Amino acid sequence: MSFLALHLLYAALWLSFGLGHSALADARVKARLKPLFGAGYRLAYNLFAAVHVLLVIGAGWWLLGDGAAFDRTPALRVLQGAASLAGAGVLIAALFHYDLGRFAGSAQLRAAAEGKFLDDEEPLRLAGFHRYVRHPIYAGAFLLLWGRVEDELSLATALWASLYFWIGSRYEEKRLRARFGEAYARYRNAVPAFVPWKGKAWRE
C-alpha cells in the first residue's frame, strides 16, 4: 500500500471515531438508545469511545508504526517535553473541575440503584481553567499530542486527533448554546477556545 493510501486510511479511521462519538452524543440518537441502556448509557458511551479510539490507534501502529524517528534538535526535544508536561497538567487539572462520577457514568448507576435519577448533562462550567479557555481539556490534549510527536505515526495521530478536537468543539458548542442560551453565548464571546490569549477572560 502506498504512503498516501496508508495515511488516508488512518485519517478515515479517525473520521469513523469522530462521527461515531458525535452521533452517540446527539440528543435524537440518545433518545433512541437510552431505553436500551438506562442509567448506564453514559458509561456505555465512554466505554465504546475508549475501545474505538484504542482500535484506531492500534490500527495506526499496524499501518504506520515502523517509521523511523524524526531527527529533532535538542532544543525542540526540550520544548516538546515541556509542552507534554504542561498538557498533561492542564488536562488533569481541568478534569477535576467536573463531576468525575457523572463524567464517567458511574454516578448515574449509583443514583439509579438508590431509586434516583441523575442527568448525564453537566451544568455549565465557568470556573478554573474555563475562565481562560472554553475547552481546557482539549487545550491540554493539543499540548500533549504535539509534545509527543517524534515519528510519522505520532505526527499523523496529532494531526487527525487535533482536527477531531477542533470539529468536535464546534459541535459541542452548538449543543451548549442550545441548552444554555444567552448565558453560553456571552461566555463564548468573552473567552477564547483553546489559547488563553486574553488571560482571565471570564469573571463572575
Side-chain angles (χ1 to χ4, degrees):
M1 193 177 292
S2 69
F3 172 86
L4 179 59
L6 289 172
H7 279 275
L8 287 176
L9 179 55
Y10 191 44
L13 291 171
W14 271 104
L15 178 62
S16 76
F17 172 75
L19 291 175
H21 198 59
S22 296
L24 291 174
D26 185 84
R28 292 165 296 181
V29 175
K30 287 174 70 174
R32 291 188 176 188
L33 294 181
K34 231 177 176 183
L36 298 174
F37 295 94
Y41 183 83
R42 178 72 185 193
L43 181 61
Y45 171 82
N46 286 329
L47 288 174
F48 178 80
V51 171
H52 197 168
V53 77
L54 286 174
L55 288 173
V56 170
I57 293 173
W61 276 104
W62 180 65
L63 293 168
L64 304 170
D66 59 352
F70 296 142
D71 184 17
R72 295 175 294 158
T73 65
L76 180 58
R77 289 175 182 271
V78 170
L79 181 62
Q80 285 187 279
S84 293
L85 289 173
V90 169
L91 198 156
I92 292 169
L95 281 173
F96 280 99
H97 286 285
Y98 290 85
D99 179 341
L100 294 181
R102 184 186 298 197
F103 189 85
S106 59
Q108 290 88 322
L109 290 174
R110 287 197 302 270
E114 297 170 0
K116 303 174 184 177
F117 171 75
L118 181 63
D119 191 359
D120 289 345
E121 299 291 343
E122 297 231 12
L124 183 59
R125 300 291 177 181
L126 302 177
F129 283 115
H130 287 89
R131 295 177 182 271
Y132 300 89
V133 291
R134 300 194 303 273
H135 303 286
I137 292 177
Y138 291 162
F142 284 137
L143 288 169
L144 189 58
L145 282 166
W146 289 97
R148 299 297 299 169
V149 169
E150 58 184 21
D151 54 23
E152 190 177 327
L153 172 62
S154 54
L155 176 59
T157 300
L159 176 63
W160 300 124
S162 295
L163 183 61
Y164 162 69
F165 290 145
W166 179 72
I167 295 173
S169 71
R170 303 295 292 268
Y171 174 84
E172 182 181 343
E173 289 187 349
K174 286 183 180 179
R175 183 173 57 82
L176 292 171
R177 178 68 174 83
R179 185 176 183 211
F180 296 108
E182 277 304 308
Y184 188 78
R186 290 194 301 271
Y187 171 71
R188 188 183 187 283
N189 290 334
V191 180
F194 308 113
V195 180
W197 60 272
K198 293 184 179 180
K200 186 185 282 190
W202 187 258
R203 294 174 176 82
E204 294 180 302

